[in-house]
Amino acid sequence: MDLYVDATRLLPQTDPQYRQTHVSQGTFLELLVLALSKLGYGAGIEYFPDGEYANDTLESRPVARVRLQASTATLDPLFAHIVNRSSNKRPYRLDRPVPEDAVRKLLECAVEQSEVAFETSLRFEVAPPIRKTLSYLATAAMAIEVADRQRNIETAKWFRFSDAEIERKRDGFGLIHNGTTGMRRWVAETFLLDREGAADPRGMFATGAIDIARAQAESTPAFGVITTSSNSRRAQLLAGRCYARVALAAESQGLAMHPMSQVLEEYPAMQAIKGQFEQAIGLAPGGTAQMFFRLGYAERAPHTPRRDANEMLRT
Ligand SMILES: Cc1cc2nc3c(=O)[nH]c(=O)nc-3n(C[C@H](O)[C@H](O)[C@H](O)COP(=O)(O)O)c2cc1C
């Protein structure tokens, strides 16, 4: 099977080079490899079989060709956690640090896949001073993100403002996925938030996003970063595979995980703070931070919706 980017679902305002799109494709590939291992197959992956394109363009060529192979390999235990894992955007418990042993297991799971290990680096930051810096930068990056009408219009396109919208579209995310439930959610969705108003950088949608990001970042006991030394399309796919493995390993340890991508983004207004972030994590010259995420303990969050798999298949 060939895997393609769906060009109708891009985020040109916040992901102008489609880097995050390709990282997402990598997460899909990793889940596919795990699912094939459950069915008793190996997966032979050829990245960009019709040629790799530059990392600031998108071409309608496949990002990967996957060949099913006879396999004697055993089932990867990460498979068992696919169904329960979800991004958890709630505040985390600051009274429960992430044990060193759990961090070690996450680091190990990323290197079990040799291709992923070769291309990507993963690290966690748990010391209070750097956490404080990263928390500040994540919040400041969200403030930059929502300061622009076009970016807000793009985000609101994928935000689901009611259960009815979630049911109809079966994609995107809404307040409920941040853990805003019950009366607060009802009031916000009924009286305070709508798609048109969301464009306004001074409106509730934008200012609420900064408050939520601050609460998320300040309650985080551990931050994780995945970096690559090159920023080729292939490196982006492998960063996605790495992220999926770590997220599944986190689920296996009862840990919550959540990407905070704003500070990594390539549009001009983000560049100054992105530079500060890269300095804070000690990014090697020429390297790219591909994923930045929170890790900790929290109540479960509801799953984001999923479309029918048939909608994504072309035969
Ligand atoms: C490359 C990438 C970047 C993401 N960045 C963010 C982010 O900045 N903020 C956020 O709340 N979720 C982010 N997510 C998570 C998605 O919003 C969404 O929750 C996920 O793709 C849907 O599946 P899940 O909720 O089951 O993980 C990101 C996901 C991917 C793959």
Side-chain angles (χ1 to χ4, degrees):
M1 60 191 97
D2 285 352
L3 177 68
Y4 288 84
V5 168
D6 179 347
T8 66
R9 309 178 77 84
L10 302 171
L11 303 173
Q13 296 293 329
T14 50
D15 185 27
Q17 299 179 355
Y18 312 122
R19 183 187 59 78
Q20 294 183 68
T21 291
H22 287 80
V23 173
S24 304
Q25 300 272 304
T27 65
F28 175 82
L29 279 174
E30 187 60 29
L31 296 192
L32 181 64
V33 170
L34 294 173
L36 286 172
S37 89
K38 169 71 176 169
L39 296 173
Y41 292 102
I45 301 187
E46 198 185 338
Y47 300 99
F48 300 97
D50 298 343
E52 189 169 341
Y53 41 84
N55 68 3
D56 55 357
T57 60
L58 179 66
E59 296 179 20
S60 56
R61 287 187 260 164
V63 302
R65 180 158 298 153
V66 184
R67 288 194 175 80
L68 274 56
Q69 295 172 334
S71 166
T72 51
T74 49
L75 169 66
D76 189 322
L78 291 180
F79 173 83
H81 304 287
I82 292 178
V83 170
N84 285 334
R85 184 217 60 83
S86 67
S87 301
N88 192 326
K89 307 175 190 194
R90 289 174 184 271
Y92 293 172
R93 285 179 54 175
L94 263 180
D95 62 342
R96 265 191 91 180
V98 181
E100 266 177 44
D101 184 50
V103 170
R104 195 168 42 247
K105 290 206 170 84
L106 268 52
L107 291 167
E108 281 166 10
C109 90
V111 298
E112 275 159 10
Q113 230 291 344
S114 57
E115 229 178 354
V116 171
F118 187 73
E119 193 78 37
T120 63
S121 300
L122 166 69
R123 58 194 277 193
F124 291 93
E125 303 291 358
V126 295
I130 178 131
R131 277 199 286 133
K132 197 168 172 202
T133 305
L134 295 177
S135 163
Y136 162 77
L137 292 172
T139 310
M142 183 60 90
I144 292 168
E145 177 111 339
V146 299
D148 176 82
R149 288 185 72 83
Q150 292 313 314
R151 283 197 291 276
N152 292 341
I153 289 168
E154 178 177 273
T155 304
K157 184 177 162 199
W158 298 101
F159 195 85
R160 302 292 165 245
F161 289 84
S162 65
D163 280 338
E165 226 176 54
I166 292 174
E167 275 313 308
R168 201 164 58 245
K169 307 253 185 177
R170 304 298 312 158
D171 63 4
F173 57 95
L175 278 184
I176 191 172
H177 305 115
N178 286 330
T180 307
T181 55
M183 192 56 115
R184 278 171 60 102
R185 179 185 177 208
W186 183 79
V187 170
E189 289 184 349
T190 310
F191 301 112
L192 304 178
L193 299 180
D194 60 53
R195 190 160 281 114
E196 291 72 43
D200 180 3
R202 283 184 301 256
M204 283 288 295
F205 187 79
T207 56
I210 304 171
D211 292 342
I212 290 173
R214 184 181 297 109
Q216 290 167 334
E218 288 182 352
S219 70
T220 296
F223 286 104
V225 192
I226 294 171
T227 58
T228 53
S229 53
S230 93
N231 192 24
S232 65
R233 290 301 190 201
R234 184 175 179 281
Q236 294 165 4
L237 296 181
L238 283 157
R241 291 191 64 181
C242 179
Y243 181 79
R245 293 187 69 77
V246 176
L248 291 168
E251 173 67 31
S252 79
Q253 300 295 305
L255 281 158
M257 217 165 112
H258 167 215
M260 295 191 93
S261 304
Q262 292 69 36
V263 76
L264 311 180
E265 288 169 354
E266 288 87 355
Y267 56 84
M270 193 59 78
Q271 292 320 291
I273 204 132
K274 182 173 191 271
Q276 288 179 42
F277 172 84
E278 291 170 354
Q279 202 171 9
I281 62 162
L283 184 69
T288 301
Q290 301 283 4
M291 285 302 276
F292 171 54
F293 54 92
R294 315 156 57 216
L295 185 71
Y297 293 94
E299 261 180 72
R300 278 206 165 273
H303 278 275
T304 46
R306 292 291 186 270
R307 289 178 294 151
D308 191 305
N310 285 315
E311 278 183 42
M312 291 167 245
L313 293 176
R314 230 165 40 187
T315 52

